[in-house]
Amino acid sequence: MPKMAENGDFEFFVRDDDIAGAIRSCSRRIKHGKAGDRMLITVQRVLAPWTRLKKEEKDSITEVVSSRADVQNRALELSGFATHEVFTSRDLMMNMTKNNVFLAVVELMEKKYSDIIALSLKNNRLKYLEMASMLPYFAKNLKVLDLSDNHIESISELEKLKGLKLTTLFLENNPVCEKYTKASDYLSAVQDIFPRITMLDSNECSARPDAFNDDNEFIEPPVKPGYYYGDAGIRTIVETFIVQFFEAYDGNDPSASRKNLVAAYDDKNSQFTLSIENLYEDMGGSTRWPNSDNFSFHVRISHNIKRIDKWGKNHRPNRLFFGALDIASQLRKMPATRHLVESFVVDVVLATSSLMIFSVQGLFEEAPFSVLPNIPQLNFFSRTFTVTPKENGSLCVISDELYLSSMSQSRIERYRIQLEKVNNATSAAPAPLPAAAAASDAGELVPDEATRKAMVEAFCRDSGMLPEWSEKCLVDGEWNYEVRHQ
């Protein structure tokens, strides 16, 4: 319940002495960025603005909330909360307008339903949203919120929920809606608080253009066509390998189908490593792996240099797998998976006649799979293959590096936006320039082959880079050596 006090102090409540003590220890250690003053933090023990509930009341609230939870769809339906038969049959007044009741519900959400993406608080006679201000911290993935049929009079009440990354909001049949005569003004007022809104009161709209570009948000890097494959021949080889590899990896019986992957790796000189990480979100805390048993399995073989202090040199051999048989055996032990091929992004890092390095990244689901196929528990993977050619035109893997990470709903949405940009950039990419000179956008000519070769050699000497990357830098700079040299 953060707020500005009348004397100009910023006040908020915490729930125990340890937290209060930790915050107080920061007093005078934080300096104001512009004024240079050091922040003074004081702690005062006060009576909380809510009272304790009786055990019967808490148990009843837990029973009602549990009955209204849709775990599979990650939704919580709390409309008309006080009218539930559990309360009425026991003669209990559990209105959500009572702070202690709302607090009990929010704390239950924190413990059991923190991953919900949809919440309905419809028809609860809510006028003020102080207690709901905890939702951005306890329900960080919330995207759909229904506040319709309440008593909210001011749009400023929504400011208390500003940390939420909502895309859908229902606010109709609240007094605040009557204050607007123009739909554009109403939408603008709401998007000032929730810029990602694309559905307001069942009406579709466009999110703010800068919805993802505030100071605390992921800023998507610019996307442009690069050296994705180099030529059609390399593309065919790489994509054929990827399709066949993941068909075997995601087979109906992975333990059996992954046996066939033994042929993909070099008999003695191949290596496989895995690393896994739970990513931290902007608002604090990490997004946990959907299944704790699977996470524990991956951690046991995770070859993460950030954790080297925990497992040290003696355990390193247990986290590296060598040779086709050893690697295939380990892959068979790993949980069954479903990779979303449409989410794949492929990049060829190096391509020569004797060696090729390429990476593939995307989203995947891991067993046990979601009962509802349209709501999978998605994770992120990035796999880097180093391969050599075989006599029959196929590829032989000598290094397979797999990185796994958890994915929150917001990260998945950002990935899909970036994926769309990559696809658009790739499809709109101009055809490669012919060997002969061609006109650039500036009207200049690309140097002839001999000049380009001399420029690449000079750039290699000056930069210490390999010829392939030196040439790429020069191409990106439209063969203006002075610009790239600087």
Side-chain angles (χ1 to χ4, degrees):
M1 299 177 64
K3 68 175 181 179
M4 294 298 297
E6 293 181 359
N7 63 355
D9 289 345
F10 182 74
E11 296 181 346
F12 57 95
F13 294 91
V14 295
R15 290 182 287 182
D16 61 59
D17 291 336
D18 290 340
I19 295 177
I23 295 175
R24 180 169 51 189
S25 67
C26 297
S27 183
R28 296 190 178 279
R29 296 185 180 183
I30 304 172
K31 185 182 291 187
H32 190 281
K34 295 182 179 179
D37 298 333
R38 294 191 175 276
M39 186 181 298
L40 176 64
I41 302 175
T42 61
V43 174
Q44 182 180 1
R45 185 187 294 274
V46 297
L47 182 65
W50 52 83
T51 58
R52 291 185 175 276
L53 293 169
K54 298 177 182 178
K55 185 178 185 304
E56 179 190 9
E57 294 172 329
K58 286 186 177 181
D59 291 343
S60 298
I61 289 175
T62 301
E63 183 179 348
V64 172
V65 173
S66 299
S67 69
R68 295 284 193 89
D70 185 347
V71 177
Q72 292 296 335
N73 291 319
R74 297 166 63 190
L76 201 55
E77 169 59 67
L78 301 180
S79 60
F81 188 70
T83 61
H84 195 281
E85 62 179 0
V86 169
F87 298 140
T88 56
S89 63
R90 299 171 187 175
D91 196 24
L92 297 175
M93 289 185 61
M94 294 290 103
N95 298 318
M96 295 196 76
T97 53
K98 298 168 67 175
N99 285 344
N100 52 2
V101 173
F102 205 119
L103 175 68
V105 172
V106 172
E107 288 189 324
L108 188 60
M109 289 171 54
E110 178 191 18
K111 294 176 182 178
K112 298 183 63 177
Y113 309 109
S114 60
D115 65 338
I116 60 171
I117 60 176
L119 171 65
S120 175
L121 298 174
K122 179 180 180 180
N123 191 26
N124 279 305
R125 298 191 295 168
L126 297 175
K127 184 177 181 180
Y128 304 108
L129 299 176
E130 280 86 1
M131 301 307 294
S133 65
M134 290 180 283
L135 289 177
Y137 307 96
F138 294 165
K140 299 174 184 178
N141 298 323
L142 196 62
K143 294 293 178 291
V144 180
L145 178 61
D146 189 349
L147 291 171
S148 60
D149 297 318
N150 280 293
H151 297 166
I152 300 172
E153 296 179 351
S154 173
I155 201 72
S156 63
E157 288 300 313
L158 297 181
E159 291 276 357
K160 299 167 184 176
L161 309 177
K162 194 168 184 177
L164 293 174
K165 306 300 186 292
L166 297 181
T167 58
T168 301
L169 175 66
F170 297 94
L171 196 60
E172 54 196 350
N173 296 328
N174 276 280
V176 63
C177 300
E178 300 176 5
K179 297 182 179 181
Y180 297 92
T181 57
K182 294 183 178 179
S184 58
D185 292 342
Y186 175 46
L187 175 61
S188 178
V190 171
Q191 288 191 333
D192 283 343
I193 303 171
F194 306 115
R196 301 182 182 186
I197 289 292
T198 56
M199 178 75 71
L200 179 59
D201 296 341
S202 300
N203 297 313
E204 293 186 1
C205 56
S206 298
R208 287 275 179 90
D210 59 346
F212 291 88
N213 293 342
D214 59 69
D215 292 340
N216 298 318
E217 284 300 325
F218 170 82
I219 300 177
E220 296 138 24
V223 176
K224 65 176 182 178
Y227 281 9
Y228 293 105
Y229 291 103
D231 61 52
I234 293 177
R235 175 171 186 162
T236 301
I237 293 172
V238 171
E239 291 190 353
T240 299
F241 172 85
I242 291 174
V243 169
Q244 293 177 349
F245 183 91
F246 285 99
E247 281 181 350
Y249 199 86
D250 291 346
N252 294 329
D253 182 5
S255 180
S257 62
R258 290 176 187 175
K259 279 184 181 180
N260 301 326
L261 292 177
V262 70
Y265 295 85
D266 186 89
D267 289 341
K268 297 180 180 180
N269 300 318
S270 54
Q271 175 179 296
F272 168 71
T273 62
L274 174 150
S275 62
I276 186 170
E277 188 67 45
N278 281 326
L279 301 180
Y280 281 81
E281 296 300 308
D282 297 331
M283 297 178 64
S286 61
T287 302
R288 301 296 300 175
W289 198 260
N291 184 283
S292 58
D293 291 337
N294 289 349
F295 182 76
S296 298
F297 173 86
H298 294 314
V299 166
R300 284 195 294 272
I301 62 170
S302 179
H303 185 247
N304 188 340
I305 60 172
K306 289 174 61 179
R307 311 283 179 173
I308 197 168
D309 57 317
K310 293 189 176 182
W311 45 268
K313 296 181 179 179
N314 293 334
H315 296 282
R316 189 179 184 193
N318 298 328
R319 298 165 186 268
L320 301 174
F321 304 91
F322 298 97
L325 290 176
D326 191 24
I327 295 173
S329 176
Q330 178 57 35
L331 296 182
R332 291 178 61 194
K333 298 176 184 177
M334 297 176 67
T337 54
R338 295 173 183 167
H339 287 77
L340 276 65
V341 179
E342 64 272 18
S343 73
F344 283 9
V345 175
V346 180
D347 187 26
V348 177
V349 179
L350 175 69
T352 69
S353 59
S354 59
L355 187 70
M356 185 185 300
I357 304 174
F358 58 90
S359 65
V360 53
Q361 66 180 41
L363 306 178
F364 75 102
E365 184 182 13
E366 198 171 56
F369 302 116
S370 172
V371 176
L372 299 177
N374 59 330
I375 310 180
Q377 295 285 336
L378 295 177
N379 308 301
F380 173 82
F381 83 95
S382 177
R383 204 155 194 157
T384 301
F385 294 99
T386 302
V387 300
T388 56
K390 285 184 177 181
E391 295 180 355
N392 59 2
S394 60
L395 300 178
C396 178
V397 179
I398 57 176
S399 176
D400 177 5
E401 301 176 15
L402 175 60
Y403 167 76
L404 306 175
S405 74
S406 54
M407 286 285 277
S408 65
Q409 191 63 29
S410 60
R411 288 183 185 274
I412 292 173
E413 291 177 2
R414 294 200 296 261
Y415 182 85
R416 285 175 174 161
I417 291 173
Q418 192 68 9
L419 178 65
E420 183 178 351
K421 288 186 176 183
V422 171
N423 290 335
N424 291 339
T426 305
S427 62
L433 291 171
S440 69
D441 292 339
E444 300 176 354
L445 295 179
V446 174
D448 58 36
E449 183 176 357
T451 302
R452 294 200 306 272
K453 183 177 180 180
M455 291 175 69
V456 170
E457 291 176 353
F459 198 91
C460 288
R461 290 194 303 271
D462 291 344
S463 66
M465 296 169 61
L466 294 174
E468 291 86 350
W469 290 104
S470 296
E471 182 177 1
K472 176 172 172 52
C473 289
L474 290 168
V475 171
D476 288 346
E478 298 177 349
W479 293 97
N480 185 336
Y481 186 86
E482 294 303 321
V483 172
R484 304 313 297 180
H485 183 62
Q486 293 173 3

